[in-house]
């Protein structure tokens, strides 16, 4: 089941379409300030980021202080049950909130969330407190759980990554970060004195794990594509040959969507004198870990290679109304973490205690509806639309880059923070990106590009501002600034 799957001929039906806004919709009813000030003084630390190769400094624009727009919790009045005023007020707040969510969903481009889903059939389960506390494979005394769904989902991913049922262990996490925390924890338990190696463009949760577990962490340089620099990796391995290596391999980096070459990472480990019993590899596949198996030319992420764990997010490519993820590791490794808990009548080897029992049902529902072929069609659609968007950016004179195995299009950072906030773009230094997910249509990309071109005509009309140089971020060949055109 891993790798290429024959495509279906029929198109997937698009579910969960966004309803149109009413004519009297007030976008400011819940969102007060459309754009935060560049630096706030309400307890938020001022931060700076370098741009233009360190010649200038840009202050990082942090989000609004939510205390300025929070919804107060108040005590009910004595006659509320009679008048119904409180219920009417709360219904009004929720209706306005739904309209605000609808509006924000229409202008979502910068974060890797698939917003195209419809779980109406599962609404009947919202009245139950479903909790999968403890080990997914051992039932606890708490009977309101969804372990049967959870293990079914885990079996599906184990097949995807070529690991037999009796050889794997895993669980449904609360998010991709928890998957990274668990994978690196397993590596640390296998090699208590191991050194954590991760590229500089790894997700921040990888370095958070290093701090939490008090691990020595070595940051490895990257190529301009965002991929790990394996020559620098080998050099740093040679400097620490006396200690085991715990390696984070990115199956899609956060900002550029770069995929580390797993085979080359393993080769460099071997060349540096690390036998397979001296290293542990965790694969962070938050987004692309579920996309790559359906790209014909993509290298395989498989447990037939000497890796220790793989994690993906469930709310990203799959699409889910709550954050969740999947973590799979080898059964032989997790025993170092496991502890029997009499209170649960189960075993504990997870990061969290109580675990969302609804999430496995949502994942099970989508995996059954779409299957391998359905996911392949969505992957092909995302990659096709990403190439369309990148090509049109370049045609419009905007520097842009798209990695071969990615649907993350990197381009010049817009000069207007309000525009960035409107389209919910993720930015770093001189670059921004759009992550093309199944819910991102050609029409939405065209709308964004047309507005971006109109804004650029305003930003650059008097010559005071120029497009950012992004050569140091994405390579000179992808930069279209005045110097590199």
């Amino acid at each position: 089941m891993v790798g290429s799957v024959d495509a279906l001929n029929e198109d997937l039906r698009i579910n969960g379409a966004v309803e149109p806004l009413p004519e009297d919709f007030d976008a400011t009813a819940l969102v007060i300030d459309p754009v935060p000030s560049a630096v706030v003084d309400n307890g938020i630390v001022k931060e700076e980021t370098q741009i233009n190769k360190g010649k200038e400094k840009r202050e990082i624009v942090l989000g609004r202080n939510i205390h300025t727009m929070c919804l107060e919790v108040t005590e009910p009045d004595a006659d509320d049950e009679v008048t119904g005023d409180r219920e009417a007020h709360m219904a009004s707040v929720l209706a306005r909130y739904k309209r605000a969510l609808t509006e924000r969903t229409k202008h979502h481009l910068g974060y890797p969330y698939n917003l195209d889903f419809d779980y109406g059939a599962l609404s009947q389960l919202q009245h139950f407190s479903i909790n999968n506390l403890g080990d997914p494979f051992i039932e606890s005394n708490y009977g309101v759980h969804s372990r049967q769904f959870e293990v079914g989902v885990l079996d599906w991913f184990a097949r995807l990554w070529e690991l037999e049922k009796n050889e794997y262990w895993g669980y449904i996490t609360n998010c991709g970060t928890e998957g990274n925390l668990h994978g690196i924890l397993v590596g640390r338990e296998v090699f208590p004195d191991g050194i954590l190696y991760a590229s500089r463009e790894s997700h921040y949760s990888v370095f958070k794990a290093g701090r939490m577990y008090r691990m020595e962490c070595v940051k490895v340089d990257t190529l301009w594509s965002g991929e790990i620099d394996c020559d620098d990796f080998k050099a740093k391995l040679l400097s620490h040959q006396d200690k085991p290596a715990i390696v984070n391999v990115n199956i899609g980096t956060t900002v550029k969507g770069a995929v580390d070459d797993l085979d080359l990472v393993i080769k460099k480990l071997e060349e540096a004198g690390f036998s397979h019993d001296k290293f542990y590899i965790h694969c962070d596949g938050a987004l692309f870990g579920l996309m790559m198996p359906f790209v014909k030319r993509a290298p395989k992420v498989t447990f037939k290679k000497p890796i220790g764990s793989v994690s993906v997010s469930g709310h990203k490519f799959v699409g889910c109304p709550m954050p969740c993820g999947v973590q799979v590791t080898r059964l032989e490794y997790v025993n170092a973490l496991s502890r029997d808990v009499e209170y649960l009548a189960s075993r504990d080897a997870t990061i969290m205690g109580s675990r969302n029992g609804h999430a496995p049902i949502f994942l099970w529902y989508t995996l059954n509806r779409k299957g391998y072929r359905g996911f392949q069609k969505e992957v092909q659609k995302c990659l096709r639309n990403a190439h369309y968007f990148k090509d049109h950016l370049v045609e419009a004179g905007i520097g842009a880059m798209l990695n071969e195995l990615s649907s993350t299009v990197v381009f010049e950072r817009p000069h207007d923070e309000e525009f960035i906030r409107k389209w919910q773009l993720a930015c770093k230094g001189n670059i921004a990106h759009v992550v093309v997910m199944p819910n991102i249509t050609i029409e939405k990309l065209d709308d964004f590009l047309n507005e971006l071109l109109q804004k650029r005509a305003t930003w650059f009309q008097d010559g005071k501002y120029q497009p950012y140089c992004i050569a140091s971020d994405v390579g000179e060949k992808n930069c279209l600034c005045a110097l590199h055109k």
Side-chain angles (χ1 to χ4, degrees), residues 43-113:
I44 298 178
V45 177
K46 298 179 182 179
E47 299 184 54
E48 293 182 335
T49 184
Q50 293 189 351
I51 61 175
N52 295 338
K53 297 184 179 180
K55 296 179 181 178
E56 302 176 39
K57 294 274 189 179
R58 176 195 289 118
E59 289 172 333
I60 295 176
V61 179
L62 302 179
R64 292 181 300 274
N65 180 353
I66 298 299
H67 266 119
T68 65
M69 53 183 291
C70 71
L71 300 170
E72 187 180 4
V73 176
T74 60
E75 286 298 307
D77 295 330
D79 60 348
D80 273 345
E81 291 188 8
V82 177
T83 64
D85 288 346
R86 176 163 293 268
E87 290 294 330
H89 168 70
M90 290 191 294
S92 174
V93 169
L94 293 175
R96 296 205 316 272
Y97 179 58
K98 181 182 178 182
R99 292 197 295 269
L101 290 179
T102 302
E103 173 65 18
R104 301 313 291 135
T105 297
K106 286 174 58 179
H107 295 95
H108 169 265
L109 283 178
Y111 294 88
Y113 307 135

Side-chain angles (χ1 to χ4, degrees), residues 268-280:
K268 295 300 180 182
L269 282 161
E270 294 170 344
E271 288 177 355
F274 288 77
S275 57
H276 290 187
D277 61 349
K278 290 298 182 182
F279 66 81
Y280 178 99

Side-chain angles (χ1 to χ4, degrees), residues 154-168:
L154 294 172
D155 283 349
W156 190 91
F157 279 95
R159 288 196 302 272
L160 185 72
W161 296 321
E162 299 185 307
L163 195 56
E164 297 297 325
K165 286 185 179 183
N166 62 348
E167 296 178 341
Y168 89 88

Side-chain angles (χ1 to χ4, degrees), residues 180-420:
N180 287 340
L181 292 176
H182 192 274
I184 294 171
L185 178 61
V186 173
R188 203 281 307 271
E189 292 298 299
V190 173
F191 298 118
D193 61 339
I195 296 176
L196 175 61
Y197 295 84
S199 83
R200 295 184 182 277
E201 299 208 23
S202 298
H203 191 261
Y204 65 86
S205 63
V206 174
F207 305 109
K208 177 191 291 186
R211 294 193 303 271
M212 288 176 63
Y213 305 145
R214 298 292 189 265
M215 300 172 68
E216 182 179 353
C217 181
V218 174
K219 291 186 178 181
V220 182
D221 292 340
T222 57
L223 308 176
W224 56 258
S225 64
E227 182 181 340
I228 189 171
D229 183 340
C230 282
D231 289 334
D232 184 59
F233 176 53
K234 180 179 177 181
K236 286 173 176 172
L237 286 171
L238 291 171
S239 299
H240 302 88
Q241 288 180 297
D242 58 325
K243 292 185 178 181
I246 300 169
V247 185
N248 179 78
V249 170
N250 295 306
I251 313 301
T253 56
T254 308
V255 177
K256 299 177 184 176
V259 176
D260 293 340
D261 188 330
L262 175 59
D263 293 331
L264 187 55
V265 166
I266 295 170
K267 180 181 178 181
K268 295 300 180 182
L269 282 161
E270 294 170 344
E271 288 177 355
F274 288 77
S275 57
H276 290 187
D277 61 349
K278 290 298 182 182
F279 66 81
Y280 178 99
I281 294 176
H282 170 69
C283 296
D284 176 9
L287 172 59
F288 296 112
L290 189 49
M291 295 177 69
M292 279 183 55
F294 306 104
V295 180
K296 290 182 179 180
R297 61 187 179 278
K300 280 187 178 182
V301 175
T302 169
F303 279 90
K304 292 188 181 301
K305 299 175 183 179
I307 64 175
S309 52
V310 183
S311 63
V312 297
S313 295
H315 57 289
K316 291 181 179 173
F317 188 74
V318 176
C320 197
M322 73 281 290
C324 59
V326 175
Q327 158 72 355
V328 171
T329 185
R330 297 181 188 273
L331 180 61
E332 62 183 286
Y333 290 158
V334 83
N335 289 331
L337 285 175
S338 298
R339 300 290 184 274
D340 292 340
V341 182
E342 183 178 7
Y343 172 76
L344 302 178
S346 184
R347 182 167 294 174
D348 174 46
T350 61
I351 296 285
M352 301 299 174
S354 291
R355 295 187 295 107
N356 188 337
H358 289 270
I361 304 172
F362 281 80
L363 294 178
W364 175 89
Y365 184 81
T366 296
L367 295 180
N368 272 288
R369 288 189 66 208
K370 295 183 178 180
Y372 290 98
R373 294 185 179 182
F375 282 121
Q376 186 191 43
K377 287 185 67 68
E378 292 198 338
V379 169
Q380 292 173 342
K381 172 188 171 184
C382 291
L383 296 179
R384 184 170 59 248
N385 289 353
H387 280 276
Y388 169 90
F389 181 55
K390 183 257 185 181
D391 291 343
H392 280 68
L393 284 170
V394 174
E395 288 174 7
I398 302 172
M401 179 193 76
L402 173 63
N403 276 307
E404 181 183 6
L405 302 174
S406 174
S407 66
T408 299
V409 181
V410 183
F411 57 99
E412 300 166 17
R413 179 182 182 138
H415 280 60
D416 184 345
E417 293 298 328
E418 185 171 353
F419 178 81
I420 290 171

Side-chain angles (χ1 to χ4, degrees), residues 466-480:
Q466 294 293 327
Y468 292 124
C469 175
I470 58 174
S472 63
D473 297 296
V474 298
E476 291 185 4
K477 70 175 185 178
N478 296 309
C479 181
L480 294 178

